[in-house]
């Protein structure tokens, strides 16, 4: 009889597994029954400034020096930054602007408003800050990417857009001799 | 005195003892296998979602990178489910009148959350970290399968402890070059062993099997 009781007790314990499986705590994105909007992730309290949120560096956070768009970069532009920019550009911009910035990305082909090519004279003449601002605040029909792309990555993308603009507008004479033959065959890849 | 039982019952009783053993072991085996089966683990079962979001169309069809939507996957434990704003980046213009997308527009208008059904769901006593994996050459498709072929998301692995461990014991069987981590269609090369061993050294990967790695 005693053994039977122990056995029954063990069967009862099986149900306890679920308590450990779904503990009364919040994991990311878990629904809350406590807050009115049912979100466990709470928005920042209005009027507070978190660590790292004091955007003192005007150039870094707004792309402007004073009130006009700056044409300088707040971060050193090196190969690592350009590589980072290339990667981020392909994730966040190429769906609409296309891999080369011609404004022919996949989403545009499915009916999104076509943006202008980055290689027109008007955009080649724009300062770097102009592109930074378009990413941070959007531009016309284009949504902003402030929530998806951290500030430093935005500058990396701007640097890469500059490199793209350069790459599509080089006189043949500037291309190193050993690469020129490749280009003329039309086999070079971006 | 005559015997109550016929002589053959001796064999019968021995057989039944033996048989009972088989029965017990068999029952245990069935329990274990049922526990591993998709019926329990939910492996390969596509879930209903409030909006029929298709990775096949968005990833396979348009080639959008995982990180466009799952923005935190490289830097934090959780991969992140995109907020409604991310959908509206495109759907403010594309299919902007489709009734299928009404829940998305309603969520955006009213600032409410879309309640996606969680597909991959570990028990709360297990700790998992995406950034530890995707920054060391473990690709999304190794754990989540061919999402670019999923019209609705389904869990691709059992997510049981033995599944985690078979990789933690021998990571060289699965790691891939860092550049291919987000490639949903990656196929391991024929010389995976050689490549894997080289990458494990290069990325400084150790076998992690102590309990506190995942239960902390």
């Amino acid at each position: 009889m005693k053994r039977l009781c122990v056995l029954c007790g063990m069967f009862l314990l099986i149900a306890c597994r679920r308590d450990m499986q779904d503990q009364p705590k919040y994991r990311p994105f878990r629904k809350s029954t406590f807050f009115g909007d049912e979100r466990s992730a709470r928005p920042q309290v209005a009027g507070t400034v978190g660590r790292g949120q004091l955007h003192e560096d005007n150039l870094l956070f707004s792309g402007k020096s004073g009130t006009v768009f700056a044409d300088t970069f707040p971060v050193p532009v090196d190969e690592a930054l350009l590589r980072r920019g290339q990667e981020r550009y392909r994730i966040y911009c190429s769906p609409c602007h296309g891999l080369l910035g011609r404004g022919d990305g996949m989403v545009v082909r499915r009916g999104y408003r076509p943006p202008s090519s980055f290689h027109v004279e008007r955009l080649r003449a724009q300062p770097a800050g102009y592109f930074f601002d378009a990413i941070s605040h959007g531009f016309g029909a284009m949504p902003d990417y402030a929530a998806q792309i951290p500030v430093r990555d935005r500058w990396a993308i701007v640097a890469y857009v500059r490199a793209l603009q350069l790459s599509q507008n080089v006189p043949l004479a500037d291309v190193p001799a050993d690469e020129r033959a490749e280009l003329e065959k039309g086999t070079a890849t971006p | 005195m005559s015997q109550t039982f016929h002589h053959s019952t001796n064999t019968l009783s021995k057989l039944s003892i033996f048989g009972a053993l088989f029965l017990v072991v068999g029952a245990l085996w069935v329990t274990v296998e049922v526990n591993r089966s998709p019926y329990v683990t939910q492996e390969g079962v596509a879930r209903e979602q409030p909006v029929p979001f298709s990775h096949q169309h968005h990833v396979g069809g348009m080639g959008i990178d995982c990180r466009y939507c799952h923005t935190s996957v490289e830097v934090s434990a959780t991969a992140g489910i995109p907020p409604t704003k991310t959908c509206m980046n495109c759907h403010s213009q594309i299919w902007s009148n489709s009734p299928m997308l009404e829940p998305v527009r309603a969520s955006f208008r009213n600032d409410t959350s879309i309640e996606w059904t969680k597909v991959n769901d570990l028990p709360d006593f297990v700790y998992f970290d995406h950034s530890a994996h995707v920054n060391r050459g473990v690709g999304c498709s190794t754990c989540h399968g061919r999402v670019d072929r999923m019209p609705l998301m389904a869990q691709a692995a059992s997510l049981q402890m033995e599944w985690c461990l078979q990789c933690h014991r021998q990571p060289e069987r699965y790691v891939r070059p860092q550049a291919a981590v987000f490639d949903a269609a990656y196929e391991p090369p024929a010389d995976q062993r050689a490549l894997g061993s080289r990458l494990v050294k290069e990325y400084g990967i150790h076998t992690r099997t102590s309990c506190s790695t995942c239960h902390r």
Side-chain angles (χ1 to χ4, degrees):
Chain A
M1 193 57 212
K2 219 180 198 171
R3 276 197 206 139
L4 203 67
C5 279
V6 171
L7 210 68
C8 286
M10 276 165 79
F11 272 112
L12 282 177
L13 276 177
I14 292 176
C16 296
R17 183 185 137 107
R18 288 239 72 87
D19 289 349
M20 294 304 282
Q21 204 109 356
D22 303 307
Q23 298 163 16
K25 66 177 180 188
Y26 292 132
R27 281 200 157 193
F29 306 111
R30 192 164 280 178
K31 189 173 171 168
S32 164
T33 48
F34 183 74
F35 298 105
D37 61 3
E38 302 193 324
R39 292 172 186 159
S40 60
R42 304 311 303 157
Q44 191 170 349
V45 177
T48 58
V49 180
R51 262 177 197 271
Q53 286 181 343
L54 186 62
H55 294 172
E56 271 181 318
D57 189 338
N58 194 34
L59 178 58
L60 181 63
F61 290 101
S62 71
K64 292 176 181 163
S65 58
T67 51
V68 293
F69 289 128
D71 205 11
T72 49
F73 283 81
V75 286
V77 179
D78 49 16
E79 193 188 335
L81 188 81
L82 284 174
R83 293 237 173 267
R84 178 82 183 169
Q86 178 182 47
E87 188 187 64
R88 299 292 125 173
Y89 178 88
R90 290 187 175 169
I91 298 170
Y92 298 107
C93 314
S94 70
C96 297
H97 289 276
L99 284 173
L100 287 176
R102 296 218 169 105
D104 57 354
M106 280 307 276
V107 178
V108 168
R109 284 181 224 171
R110 304 284 165 98
Y112 205 88
R113 181 196 156 100
S116 136
S117 161
F118 286 148
H119 309 301
V120 296
E121 205 46 56
R122 176 177 66 84
L123 284 175
R124 290 182 57 210
Q126 290 292 358
Y130 179 82
F131 296 91
F132 180 85
D133 189 70
I135 306 176
S136 309
H137 299 113
F139 181 91
M142 173 180 143
D144 74 88
Y145 280 82
Q148 276 155 285
I149 314 177
V151 172
R152 270 161 229 281
D153 281 351
R154 288 179 225 163
W155 282 109
I157 291 175
V158 175
Y160 181 67
V161 169
R162 276 276 181 262
L164 272 182
Q165 289 177 325
L166 199 64
S167 76
Q168 299 299 299
N169 296 280
V170 209
L172 197 57
D174 284 2
V175 179
D178 46 332
E179 311 254 328
R180 213 174 296 165
E182 281 280 303
L183 262 187
E184 276 164 351
K185 273 190 292 179
T187 51
T189 46
Chain B
M1 200 173 84
S2 71
Q3 283 181 322
T4 317
F5 295 106
H6 186 261
H7 193 66
S8 67
T9 36
N10 273 354
T11 344
L12 214 65
S13 62
K14 273 181 202 149
L15 259 179
S16 55
I17 292 173
F18 202 57
L21 198 71
F22 266 96
L23 221 67
V24 170
V25 172
L28 274 177
W29 178 76
V30 168
T31 324
V32 169
E33 284 305 310
V34 166
N35 245 327
R36 280 179 181 158
S37 72
Y39 176 73
V40 170
T41 62
Q42 297 280 302
E43 189 176 339
V45 181
R47 307 291 170 82
E48 283 298 318
Q49 298 286 355
V51 185
F53 176 79
S54 161
H55 280 78
Q56 187 175 30
H57 275 143
H58 292 85
V59 176
M62 278 176 286
I64 305 176
D65 194 286
C66 312
R67 291 164 287 181
Y68 186 95
C69 292
H70 304 295
T71 48
S72 61
V73 73
E74 290 167 299
V75 291
S76 83
T78 152
I81 295 292
T84 307
K85 157 79 168 56
T86 303
C87 311
M88 291 308 277
N89 279 354
C90 296
H91 288 293
S92 57
Q93 291 191 36
I94 288 177
W95 287 38
S96 54
N97 293 316
S98 157
M100 210 191 272
L101 284 161
E102 181 49 33
V104 177
R105 292 191 297 270
S107 151
F108 195 62
R109 265 198 315 273
N110 311 333
D111 190 26
T112 50
S113 308
I114 304 177
E115 285 187 35
W116 300 106
T117 310
K118 194 157 171 47
V119 181
N120 297 273
D121 197 2
L122 287 175
D124 287 2
F125 54 79
V126 181
Y127 174 77
F128 179 77
D129 187 335
H130 273 95
S131 65
H133 292 91
V134 300
N135 291 325
R136 288 190 189 74
V138 186
C140 312
S141 63
T142 306
C143 299
H144 293 305
R146 294 293 302 265
V147 300
D148 61 329
R149 290 185 185 158
M150 293 182 192
L152 277 179
M153 182 54 67
Q155 191 177 313
S158 74
L159 299 191
Q160 283 178 332
M161 186 162 133
E162 62 177 358
W163 174 77
C164 309
L165 285 174
Q166 48 93 28
C167 177
H168 275 218
R169 288 196 183 110
Q170 294 178 302
E172 66 277 5
R173 283 170 55 198
Y174 301 95
V175 290
R176 59 174 82 169
Q178 195 54 43
V181 163
F182 301 92
D183 180 357
Y186 177 83
E187 294 286 345
D191 63 338
Q192 172 64 34
R193 280 270 166 189
L195 176 75
S197 313
R198 187 167 61 72
L199 291 177
V200 161
K201 269 204 208 80
E202 197 179 317
Y203 300 153
I205 296 171
H206 302 279
T207 54
R208 305 223 177 240
T209 48
S210 87
C211 314
S212 62
T213 305
C214 311
H215 304 292
R216 43 172 109 176

